[in-house]
Amino acid sequence: MAPHKTMAERVASLARERLGQSSVEYAIVLGAFLAMVVALGAFWAMAAEGGLQRLAARAASHVVVGEGAIGGMRDIVLF
């Protein structure tokens, strides 16, 4: 028959399992945080180069070029 573990051995075993779990949780959270920092850095670089303005201009259904404020307002109202 297998020897029974004492209460202290069971508590120590449970503590080791929880320490391993917290290490895994820490690694997952750290990986998600680093991915977010890298994505924000890429977004910042794209915005600094004018990429957001180009994307917005391509996505616009009408692009006002050289007509000034009056022409732009006319285009918006007639749309």
Side-chain angles (χ1 to χ4, degrees):
M1 188 169 209
H4 295 290
K5 289 184 177 181
T6 64
M7 181 61 91
E9 291 173 336
R10 282 189 248 164
V11 169
S13 174
L14 184 61
R16 280 192 301 274
E17 290 174 11
R18 288 189 180 194
L19 286 175
Q21 178 184 353
S22 64
S23 297
V24 171
E25 290 172 355
Y26 179 75
I28 291 171
V29 169
L30 181 64
F33 179 74
L34 288 177
M36 185 175 60
V37 167
V38 169
L40 286 173
F43 186 74
W44 184 277
M46 186 177 77
E49 295 173 357
L52 293 178
Q53 290 84 3
R54 285 192 301 273
L55 286 174
R58 272 192 236 137
S61 61
H62 295 301
V63 178
V64 179
V65 179
E67 295 181 8
I70 301 293
M73 289 302 289
R74 187 176 352 146
D75 187 42
I76 291 171
V77 170
L78 293 176
F79 180 67

